[in-house]
Amino acid sequence: MPSGPHEKPPPPAPRHLTLAPVALGVLLGGCLSVLNVILAFKAGTGSGGAIITVLLGGAALRLLRKLNWRTLFVTYATASGGTLAVSAIDTSIGAALLGGAAMPAWIALVGLALLANLLGLALGVVLAPTIIGDQSLKYPALWPVIDLMHALTGSGDRDAGAGRQRLIVVSAVAAAVLSFAAALAGRDSLPPAPGLPPYLVLSLSPMLFGLGLRLPGAATVWIGLGAAYSLVVWYATALRAAPRPAPAYAEHLGSPWILAVGVGLLLGYACGFGARMADGPRRAVAGAIRGRGGHRRLAAAGVTAVTAAAVVALPPPYLTIAVALVVLAPLFAVILNRVNAATGMAPTGVLQFLALVVLALAHVPQGAAYLLVGLICGSALASAYFIEAAKVAATAPARDAPRTRQLLACQAIGSVAGVSTGITLLFLIAELGGVGTAALPAPTSSALEFLNGLLRGSPEYARSALLFLVPAGLAGLALAWTPALPTLLGLGVLLPAATSAAILLGGVAKLVSQRRRGDEGAFAATVGSGLILGGGLANAVLLPIQLLTS
């Protein structure tokens, strides 16, 4: 009912941070950071987790009687800072481990990840006005999150939001139960059907099935095409090896028909992608330079601080490292943000390949190069998550609009939580020696390690690998100007058959659900989020148990 002429309007909502939403965001961001470390080593990709945060955060805040748009946004913005806080660093360190390097100290990696997030926040503040103000960038993956936030807080369909909350919790519980049952049975995949070789099995990971439920239909098709090529190569190899046993996954992956082709597709697309996006970074950088003086000062301070810390912490050549950081970090942040805003996908792996090539050609030592790749690409992803949160903040009801410093504080707190949990889990995985096994195939890390070996290896090795790498690279380069998804095609080539089968099965289930329910895949995507959440958390609990009992 409208206020009468003598009634005062309601007072504006307080804009300071409150304990409950921040603590909830820290918890969710830390859990999602753990989930994404596991998912990166299982499937070479990550899950943003915004829907999970909003649904579970909204449910918890309602139980605490604190649910409104402002508190839900604080929870979302805090969790957003931690969800992918160690992404790009985990896969880069995984590549170093596959190459035989020793694990860096825990505190060193924590410091590196915090530096990446600090730089990303500084770049995000500078780029946000230009990226958000570009009307050609539609944020297709973010609007469902925005609509859900408004629905849960009173300006939309609350019943629909509550139903999605229940669905994601039930899915998460089912995924956790299945994960623990598989662990107790000592199985990570179904036994092969009679007459089929052991390579053709189906993974029992609910996370992978959930990933298939969340991926767009075109994405699962391209993964399937890559998997089909991989199976053809494996079958041909098995025929040549008969009557000896067929090759295991590690031997199969080592074939240039697989590793060189998969990496070539990724690298070729990365080069084409950079050329295709060349005009976007130019306009975004020009807009940032014309922006407010405070933004420019913040960017200069952030880049200077991170560059100085990296130069002190990393081995020489110091000047080359400083120049690479100052040039590549802003450039990659602009590219990643524009692609994320236009398509809803953040191709971090593509940028990792580009960065590794540049650093190898600049003769940056291998150990420093892997750390620098993680730092540069991690900062680009941190900037994208800050800008996404700023985009959500721009849709706030007038009385709840958060200030920039509040958003910065939320993201910084979430980053600390995400870094702490993610790096700790990375150490557990390294201690178990699981990187590069069939359970944790780490396709992105394997591809990075192969590319690094090719760039720095012997001339004979380089010549033999180039016979496969060059044609695949040219194919990836050509596909960069088409609607195709060469990154997922390359991942399909590199992943084990069991992993690809679980993702494809999820994609088929999504298609069936979408046709029967007519909901454009909303039901499947919600179930997929729950499966990823429950399976990821179950795996995080099982890892230390395996460590203690091994």
Side-chain angles (χ1 to χ4, degrees):
M1 181 179 293
S3 301
H6 302 293
E7 294 182 24
K8 295 181 179 180
R15 297 186 182 182
H16 57 273
L17 297 182
T18 52
L19 180 60
V22 172
L24 188 57
V26 165
L27 176 63
L28 291 173
C31 290
L32 290 169
S33 177
V34 164
L35 177 153
N36 276 296
V37 171
I38 297 171
L39 200 56
F41 287 130
K42 275 187 171 291
T45 186
S47 175
I51 290 289
I52 295 174
T53 298
V54 172
L55 287 171
L56 297 187
L61 290 170
R62 181 177 286 117
L63 289 175
L64 296 172
R65 301 183 183 276
K66 294 181 180 294
L67 178 61
N68 56 59
W69 196 95
R70 182 182 61 83
T71 56
L72 185 54
F73 175 78
V74 169
T75 298
Y76 158 77
T78 305
S80 171
T83 298
L84 290 167
V86 298
S87 187
I89 293 173
D90 50 8
T91 48
S92 297
I93 295 300
L97 295 175
L98 290 174
M103 188 71 175
W106 181 87
I107 191 64
L109 281 186
V110 168
L112 180 74
L114 290 176
L115 283 175
N117 283 270
L118 169 65
L119 179 57
L121 291 179
L123 292 170
V125 170
V126 176
L127 296 174
T130 303
I131 300 293
I132 293 175
D134 189 337
Q135 297 303 313
S136 67
L137 303 175
K138 303 299 184 182
Y139 283 96
L142 194 59
W143 278 106
V145 177
I146 294 172
D147 292 341
L148 183 60
M149 287 184 67
H150 287 284
L152 293 176
T153 54
S155 56
D157 187 351
R158 287 200 180 202
D159 290 338
R164 294 179 75 180
Q165 286 174 331
R166 289 191 293 270
L167 185 58
I168 203 170
V169 171
V170 170
S171 304
V173 171
V177 170
L178 177 59
S179 297
F180 279 106
L184 289 174
R187 303 201 64 92
D188 55 11
S189 62
L190 290 175
L196 289 180
Y199 187 67
L200 298 179
V201 294
L202 175 66
S203 171
L204 287 174
S205 169
M207 295 178 67
L208 297 174
F209 184 77
L211 181 62
L213 289 173
R214 286 203 53 84
L215 285 175
T220 54
V221 168
W222 285 102
I223 289 177
L225 289 174
Y229 167 83
S230 181
L231 287 175
V232 168
V233 172
W234 179 87
Y235 184 67
T237 305
L239 286 178
R240 288 198 304 269
R244 290 177 296 154
Y249 168 72
E251 184 182 350
H252 173 67
L253 179 64
S255 166
W257 285 93
I258 297 299
L259 197 53
V261 169
V263 172
L265 287 168
L266 295 171
L267 183 59
Y269 178 73
C271 295
F273 171 81
R276 187 162 56 91
M277 295 297 298
D279 188 54
R282 181 191 61 78
R283 288 188 281 111
V285 171
I289 292 174
R290 292 193 299 268
R292 292 181 293 174
H295 288 166
R296 291 195 297 270
R297 287 193 295 272
L298 179 59
V303 173
T304 301
V306 175
T307 302
V311 167
V312 170
L314 297 176
Y318 300 120
L319 180 60
T320 304
I321 289 174
V323 171
L325 191 58
V326 169
V327 173
L328 294 182
L331 177 64
F332 284 9
V334 173
I335 292 174
L336 191 69
N337 274 286
R338 290 190 63 83
V339 174
N340 184 46
T343 67
M345 300 178 70
T348 314
V350 171
L351 298 183
Q352 286 180 276
F353 290 111
L354 279 174
L356 186 62
V357 170
V358 171
L359 295 174
L361 294 177
H363 302 293
V364 174
Q366 176 175 305
Y370 280 134
L371 296 175
L372 203 52
V373 166
L375 176 59
I376 291 170
C377 297
S379 69
L381 195 58
S383 73
Y385 266 65
F386 174 86
I387 291 176
E388 276 198 353
K391 178 69 174 179
V392 175
T395 71
R399 64 193 300 269
D400 291 322
R403 298 187 178 98
T404 300
R405 65 173 178 267
Q406 183 186 33
L407 176 55
L408 275 170
C410 289
Q411 293 260 296
I413 294 170
S415 296
V416 173
V419 165
S420 301
T421 54
I423 295 298
T424 300
L425 180 63
L426 179 59
F427 264 77
L428 285 174
I429 291 174
E431 183 70 20
L432 286 170
V435 178
T437 63
L440 295 175
T444 302
S445 298
S446 298
L448 284 169
E449 197 272 334
F450 168 79
L451 182 59
N452 182 71
L454 179 65
L455 293 167
R456 303 173 189 269
S458 66
E460 294 79 11
Y461 176 70
R463 279 194 295 269
S464 62
L466 282 174
L467 293 175
F468 298 89
L469 189 71
V470 170
L474 291 175
L477 181 67
L479 291 173
W481 275 269
T482 72
L485 299 173
T487 51
L488 295 174
L489 178 63
L491 283 177
V493 171
L494 296 171
L495 287 172
T499 299
S500 299
I503 296 173
L504 290 172
L505 186 60
V508 172
K510 176 184 178 179
L511 179 62
V512 172
S513 169
Q514 187 172 334
R515 287 185 175 179
R516 289 189 175 181
R517 302 179 66 90
D519 60 354
E520 298 183 354
F523 176 84
T526 304
V527 172
S529 294
L531 293 176
I532 292 172
L533 176 65
L537 295 182
N539 275 300
V541 173
L542 290 169
L543 277 172
I545 295 175
Q546 293 170 350
L547 176 63
L548 293 173
T549 57
S550 61

